[in-house]
Amino acid sequence: MEAIRVKDKEWQLAGVHYVRTEAMCNGFGLSLEMEFGEDKAGDEYILVLDGIHPVSTCRLHQLDENTGKIERVATLKEYRGQHYGAAAITAAEEWFAERGVKKIFINSRTEAVGFYEKLGYVADPKQITGTGAFQCIMTEKQL
């Protein structure tokens, strides 16, 4: 298992896009526009590889000098429950910590909250958005 900090290398971005397309578009029926519509040049990601295979990813968004947000967390279905998603989150936290970030938010699908709680995140039941498979709750962690 290897976690890579992705900025703009095409082969790394191809891995990020593959994981998100498989996990979110094919797995949950999201359109490509819905999944990738907010991405922009220069976005930063973590890509987790199993050997040569891209299996998990997340996007980093720094809100201010002390606050970050981990977004678009996705792991291929057959790799869930094997710590690949946790490796992506941990690598993102480390990257943020190097920049002085003290607090991280993740908007979690409600069914995934337990995963984030195991990583030290606390859900805020007052911050729920969306519906159905994409009902989400904001989680937060102090570094």
Side-chain angles (χ1 to χ4, degrees):
M1 180 184 317
E2 177 185 13
I4 298 171
R5 294 177 179 187
V6 177
K7 284 195 174 189
D8 57 7
K9 291 186 179 179
E10 289 301 316
W11 70 269
Q12 295 171 344
L13 287 172
V16 167
H17 292 161
Y18 169 77
V19 172
R20 288 176 57 192
T21 299
E22 285 298 310
M24 305 309 289
C25 298
N26 295 336
F28 288 101
L30 294 181
S31 69
L32 287 171
E33 181 180 9
M34 184 174 281
E35 179 59 21
F36 294 98
E38 295 178 2
D39 287 12
K40 50 192 173 306
D43 278 349
E44 297 174 318
Y45 302 90
I46 296 294
L47 174 64
V48 180
L49 301 174
D50 176 23
I52 63 169
H53 305 285
V55 299
S56 189
T57 188
C58 63
R59 181 173 69 200
L60 287 76
H61 181 90
Q62 191 149 345
L63 302 174
D64 61 40
E65 66 182 39
N66 296 309
T67 313
K69 190 171 181 186
I70 298 173
E71 305 170 321
R72 297 299 184 187
V73 179
T75 301
L76 298 179
K77 186 175 184 176
E78 59 271 25
Y79 286 88
R80 293 178 192 153
Q82 299 177 48
H83 308 290
Y84 290 95
I89 300 300
T90 299
E93 290 172 349
E94 290 170 358
W95 202 357
F96 274 137
E98 289 173 14
R99 298 174 182 178
V101 167
K102 305 284 188 245
K103 183 190 305 186
I104 298 176
F105 292 100
I106 300 176
N107 200 20
S108 169
R109 290 178 41 247
T110 53
E111 63 187 45
V113 168
F115 165 74
Y116 295 111
E117 288 175 335
K118 289 177 187 173
L119 297 173
Y121 287 80
V122 176
D124 181 353
K126 295 177 184 171
Q127 293 192 58
I128 297 177
T129 59
T131 61
F134 285 93
Q135 182 179 45
C136 295
I137 185 167
M138 190 61 69
T139 67
E140 163 182 338
K141 180 178 182 178
Q142 300 288 331
L143 294 182

